[in-house]
Amino acid sequence: MPKPPIAKIIPHTLEKHGHVRTDNYYWLNQRENPEVIDYLNQENAYYQQSTAHTKDFQKDLFEEMKARIKEDDESVPYFYNGYYYITRFEKGKDYPIYSRKKGSLEAKEEILFDCNEMAKGHTYFNLSGLSVSEDNTMAAFGIDTVSRRQYTIQIKNLVSGEILAVKLENTTGGSTWASDNKTLFYSRKDEVTLRADKIYKHKIGTAADKDTLVYFEKDETFDVSVYKSKSKKYLIINSSSTLTTEYQTVLSATPDAKFKVFQKRTRGLEYSMSHFGDHFYIVTNKDKATNFKLMKTPEGSTSKENWVDVIAHREDVLLEDIDIFKDYLVVSERFNGLNHIRIMPWSGKGEYYLPFDSETYMAYTTTNLDFDTEILRYGYQSLATPASVIDFNMKTKEKTVLKEQEVLGGKFDKNNYKEERIWATAKDGTKVPISMVYRKENTKKGKNPLLLYAYGSYGVTMDCHFSSVRLSLLDRGFIYAIAHIRGGEDLGREWYENGKLLKKKNTFTDFIDCSQFVIDEKYTSTEHLYAEGGSAGGLLMGAIINMAPNLYNGVVAQVPFVDVVTTMLDETIPLTTGEYDEWGNPNIKKYYNYMLSYSPYDNVVSQAYPNLYISTGLHDSQVQYWEPAKWVAKLRVLKTNNNQLYLDTNMDAGHGGASGRFEAIKEIAKEYSFLLDLEGIKK
């Protein structure tokens, strides 16, 4: 076996609240330092050499996963403003082609963007924020070729096919057109922190440096965005932080008028709004509505004292979103951890829920841009059921499956798999749901390899989605499970509140208790249990291997957020100030002490650790590459066993990994080969 690289130790002293920390690897944050790049390359070389015996298997896994995917695939067309819009892929190509057809699906295809052509010469490419003017003649779009989520917005004349010379730099990629078809609003980022803090207005035919600053968000804990209401009547600026929101509106027909605050920000007041008729409909936590409720207010009186209840707050039901139609209100809800779609006629008569039988599914409304229709488009999938797109007639209750994801190869049959939802008991008595899927011939004999996945932050719910690539694990005997731990919003808003700030450790202990539960119930054993998480889920991975390293044979940590205290004290790093409501502000001593008690990097000790595969991207703007790099360097010195420890840095990508659809599968093949190799499975 090759010898692992040992990073140079250069002690760096960090002091806060009278407490001193010594960071031996602080120097790794120098992105332009050749020694840093050399160290990352050494780690990559060590990973490549150490796993050389799995290279053919990785290639086989990749080909196997790719073979299940319909390469010449296309989305279900959606109709908007006179055109059907389609996203499609061609065989052998990595990137999408965006097109449209006027009036009918039989009409001639008009290609808007062929990303395969646009991506040539770039190791990373992403097109985002496609926005078409109301007269259908102009399309704004954002391009990122570095993977730091700094997009350049350009404009294409859809009549002539010309891409205009103007480039709007350092944006989020998103933009929206005013009704005059010549005024474009977009959000721009701070050059250093990458916080979206400014809304600009661009006029067709003018230079970018002539763009007007419409709004500057001074509060460093807020981000801003701009969009148009579904009714097309209003342009809307959204300012949001973790706990507070504020909106401003202006008539889309008068884009040079001054935006008016809808309801001024109040610490802890969250709301979102939709326009319909002469009212705005508001999903909000006003009046201590922890799980949110629906209210409405007249167009001319939008401050909160005018809001009245439409759907009252419920202790056991999380109100997630609404879709408004001419004759129906559609409400997306969640109770007992499961999605529900509620159909409510405006007439007040005959409301009902769409029926779903499984306990390991996800159902969600999709692209519903038309007001005057009885058709609701929604999606459905489960851990063993491929994703479907469905048109549902809300009046007749007829259902039309427009598309079900194809799994090619002729070997997949969803009836060969069993789905379960079980409940683990956390150390404080809380019941935590676990969703799982496995082949029916697997029995609870205590020796099944089991991969337990979780995220557990920001109130993000981990729904039970189908994955054709995951079949490569299931068909080799793995159980795949999702732990719906606190810190997510799976069981309502309180589930999130009890896994953040000074209750963050619930997230970690929930995962450990779920791990112990699947062992106790004989689904697996410590020799065959694996854990996986990315980003904030990578923080989870770092915490659990410090707290309970003996439970796991192997852990996959993708772009892990592991240097919590140092990062949250550095206000120049992207996302930091906006994260205070999630993790706490370490400039305040009680938060500093609490974060320090679980920060994975700060809590690495001399002990045996599981086998570890850790991935990152050099250009990551969300979790800087040096966090996992420092973590691995420290683990190399302190861990007391010979278990595998790999740092795999994508030198061309950022937080989302590789951009091409097949390049992304190669990254999954690396992770799966790591797990399968630990199980002694070679093919």
Side-chain angles (χ1 to χ4, degrees):
M1 291 290 289
K3 286 190 175 182
I6 301 297
K8 185 166 60 175
I9 290 176
I10 305 176
H12 180 84
T13 299
L14 298 160
E15 184 175 353
K16 192 71 180 178
H17 306 299
H19 177 259
V20 177
R21 291 178 296 143
T22 300
D23 187 346
N24 288 332
Y25 306 105
Y26 188 84
W27 66 277
L28 286 172
N29 69 2
Q30 300 168 30
R31 195 190 308 270
E32 307 302 323
N33 184 343
E35 286 190 72
V36 172
I37 300 301
D38 183 57
Y39 170 69
L40 296 177
N41 285 328
Q42 285 182 49
E43 283 285 0
N44 279 352
Y46 172 70
Y47 164 66
Q48 296 293 341
Q49 292 165 22
S50 300
T51 58
H53 64 287
T54 70
K55 283 293 176 287
D56 288 342
F57 189 24
Q58 284 183 37
K59 194 178 299 182
D60 291 344
L61 284 169
F62 167 72
E63 293 298 339
E64 176 182 299
M65 296 174 194
K66 184 181 175 185
R68 295 193 195 102
I69 297 170
K70 191 172 189 288
E71 291 195 48
D72 52 342
D73 202 7
E74 68 177 44
S75 66
V76 175
Y78 67 86
F79 190 73
Y80 178 65
N81 198 25
Y83 284 82
Y84 283 96
Y85 286 86
I86 302 160
T87 304
R88 62 181 176 83
F89 287 90
E90 292 183 348
K91 190 167 184 176
K93 295 184 179 179
D94 249 336
Y95 294 98
I97 297 169
Y98 296 97
S99 67
R100 66 180 184 177
K101 296 181 179 182
K102 188 174 182 178
S104 164
L105 288 172
E106 308 306 315
K108 181 183 177 183
E109 179 186 52
E110 176 188 345
I111 292 180
L112 303 176
F113 302 100
D114 183 345
C115 294
N116 299 287
E117 291 299 317
M118 299 169 77
K120 286 180 178 177
H122 301 290
T123 53
Y124 179 91
F125 180 86
N126 187 29
L127 184 149
S128 178
L130 177 55
S131 176
V132 178
S133 60
E134 287 185 25
D135 66 359
N136 292 308
T137 64
M138 295 285 179
F141 60 99
I143 297 293
D144 176 12
T145 57
V146 177
S147 190
R148 276 187 71 76
R149 302 187 182 182
Q150 290 175 285
Y151 290 85
T152 298
I153 291 176
Q154 295 179 260
I155 299 166
K156 182 176 181 178
N157 184 319
L158 298 179
V159 178
S160 68
E162 172 197 8
I163 293 181
L164 308 188
V166 69
K167 293 186 176 182
L168 313 177
E169 304 285 358
N170 192 31
T171 77
T172 62
S175 62
T176 192
W177 293 93
S179 296
D180 64 0
N181 303 300
K182 63 182 181 182
T183 307
L184 184 72
F185 290 81
Y186 64 95
S187 50
R188 185 172 282 169
K189 294 187 169 189
D190 181 276
E191 291 280 0
V192 176
T193 67
L194 304 189
R195 178 174 72 93
D197 61 354
K198 304 175 192 74
I199 301 296
Y200 275 88
K201 178 170 62 179
H202 174 76
K203 297 282 188 179
I204 292 289
T206 64
D209 60 6
K210 301 297 183 186
D211 287 0
T212 305
L213 176 63
V214 175
Y215 178 68
F216 172 58
E217 178 54 68
K218 297 177 183 177
D219 191 324
E220 293 180 347
T221 66
F222 280 74
D223 291 325
V224 292
S225 59
V226 61
Y227 65 99
K228 190 185 295 179
S229 63
K230 181 176 175 179
S231 65
K232 302 181 186 177
K233 186 173 182 178
Y234 289 95
L235 296 165
I236 301 168
I237 293 174
N238 169 223
S239 294
S240 62
S241 71
T242 306
L243 296 175
T244 309
T245 47
E246 180 182 79
Y247 289 84
Q248 302 173 58
T249 63
V250 73
L251 291 171
S252 185
T254 58
D256 295 326
K258 185 177 175 60
F259 277 79
K260 177 186 175 185
V261 173
F262 185 89
Q263 159 59 42
K264 69 178 181 179
R265 68 189 64 180
T266 303
R267 171 78 175 168
L269 176 64
E270 297 176 67
Y271 68 94
S272 60
M273 35 74 121
S274 304
H275 174 250
F276 173 55
D278 55 3
H279 281 78
F280 286 99
Y281 287 77
I282 306 146
V283 176
T284 180
N285 66 347
K286 183 178 179 289
D287 307 320
K288 298 181 180 179
T290 309
N291 276 333
F292 294 83
K293 62 179 178 177
L294 182 64
M295 307 184 79
K296 72 174 183 178
T297 193
E299 274 183 305
S301 307
T302 60
S303 55
K304 64 182 179 181
E305 61 269 18
N306 300 294
W307 301 359
V308 296
D309 281 7
V310 176
I311 299 175
H313 176 252
R314 290 156 292 171
E315 294 291 340
D316 59 342
V317 179
L318 176 67
L319 198 164
E320 293 189 315
D321 203 2
I322 61 170
D323 288 275
I324 291 178
F325 298 86
K326 180 182 176 183
D327 296 321
Y328 297 91
L329 172 66
V330 177
V331 185
S332 296
E333 302 175 344
R334 182 183 298 272
F335 53 92
N336 200 28
L338 300 174
N339 304 118
H340 295 271
I341 298 175
R342 182 182 183 186
I343 313 296
M344 302 177 66
W346 289 115
S347 66
K349 298 176 183 177
E351 73 166 71
Y352 59 94
Y353 285 90
L354 298 186
F356 304 118
D357 298 327
S358 169
E359 282 194 320
T360 54
Y361 72 90
M362 60 185 296
Y364 42 93
T365 64
T366 61
T367 308
N368 291 284
L369 302 176
D370 193 357
F371 263 124
D372 191 5
T373 180
E374 296 171 345
I375 304 299
L376 168 71
R377 180 165 293 181
Y378 73 94
Y380 177 89
Q381 57 187 297
S382 78
L383 289 176
T385 307
S388 296
V389 178
I390 298 158
D391 271 0
F392 178 79
N393 188 306
M394 293 180 279
K395 183 177 182 179
T396 66
K397 300 184 182 180
E398 292 175 306
K399 184 172 77 169
T400 304
V401 178
L402 301 176
K403 181 179 180 179
E404 180 172 287
Q405 175 187 351
E406 290 185 59
V407 181
L408 303 184
K411 297 178 181 178
F412 173 72
D413 181 349
K414 63 185 177 184
N415 296 311
N416 291 332
Y417 303 88
K418 182 175 181 180
E419 300 175 80
E420 278 191 80
R421 186 165 70 148
I422 58 178
W423 296 79
T425 303
K427 66 176 186 177
D428 63 359
T430 301
K431 297 289 187 182
V432 181
I434 304 170
S435 302
M436 60 172 61
V437 61
Y438 51 88
R439 287 191 68 93
K440 286 182 176 176
E441 60 263 30
N442 283 10
T443 57
K444 293 201 297 181
K445 54 182 178 287
K447 294 181 180 178
N448 296 305
L450 188 151
L451 178 59
L452 186 63
Y453 174 84
Y455 186 72
S457 291
Y458 303 107
V460 173
T461 55
M462 284 295 112
D463 285 317
C464 298
H465 73 281
F466 179 80
S467 167
S468 67
V469 298
R470 190 190 299 142
L471 297 174
S472 291
L473 285 184
L474 300 183
D475 291 347
R476 288 175 172 86
F478 264 76
I479 298 171
Y480 178 82
I482 302 169
H484 303 282
I485 54 181
R486 282 174 284 187
E489 215 167 54
D490 305 58
L491 269 73
R493 182 68 175 200
E494 195 172 338
W495 201 248
Y496 170 42
E497 298 293 342
N498 285 327
K500 63 186 285 198
L501 296 173
L502 298 176
K503 296 180 180 178
K504 188 64 213 170
K505 288 183 185 177
N506 284 337
T507 301
F508 316 138
T509 54
D510 279 1
F511 190 89
I512 290 169
D513 292 335
C514 287
S515 301
Q516 189 62 58
F517 184 76
V518 294
I519 292 169
D520 292 344
E521 292 297 306
K522 305 296 184 190
Y523 286 97
T524 190
S525 62
T526 55
E527 294 83 11
H528 301 284
L529 178 59
Y530 302 90
E532 178 188 19
S535 196
L539 162 64
L540 170 66
M541 296 298 103
I544 63 155
I545 65 170
N546 284 334
M547 297 166 69
N550 296 330
L551 279 180
Y552 310 95
N553 188 35
V555 171
V556 174
Q558 306 140 331
V559 292
F561 172 43
V562 286
D563 191 15
V564 182
V565 179
T566 304
T567 291
M568 292 303 296
L569 282 168
D570 187 349
E571 295 181 4
T572 68
I573 292 176
L575 303 182
T576 293
T577 54
E579 303 277 295
Y580 289 158
D581 288 333
E582 179 71 25
W583 313 104
N585 182 349
N587 293 296
I588 300 169
K589 193 171 188 297
K590 68 176 180 179
Y591 290 111
Y592 174 88
N593 290 338
Y594 188 75
M595 293 159 73
L596 189 63
S597 72
Y598 69 74
S599 172
Y601 180 62
D602 292 289
N603 287 280
V604 174
V605 295
S606 180
Q607 67 178 358
Y609 280 93
N611 296 286
L612 298 170
Y613 172 81
I614 298 159
S615 59
T616 186
L618 180 64
H619 302 292
D620 197 329
S621 60
Q622 314 299 107
V623 178
Q624 308 298 317
Y625 73 88
W626 59 77
E627 293 199 37
K630 288 165 53 175
W631 185 39
V632 168
K634 192 171 183 180
L635 282 164
R636 286 224 183 280
V637 173
L638 289 177
K639 77 185 189 77
T640 59
N641 57 2
N642 293 320
N643 279 347
Q644 298 168 25
L645 172 57
Y646 302 133
L647 174 66
D648 184 14
T649 304
N650 188 326
M651 305 301 278
D652 298 315
H655 199 63
S659 58
R661 58 174 173 159
F662 298 129
E663 288 302 309
I665 295 173
K666 288 178 182 176
E667 296 183 346
I668 297 172
K670 286 182 180 181
E671 297 170 3
Y672 283 10
S673 69
F674 169 75
L675 298 171
L676 292 164
D677 188 52
L678 289 172
E679 280 294 307
I681 299 172
K682 306 297 184 185
K683 63 180 182 178

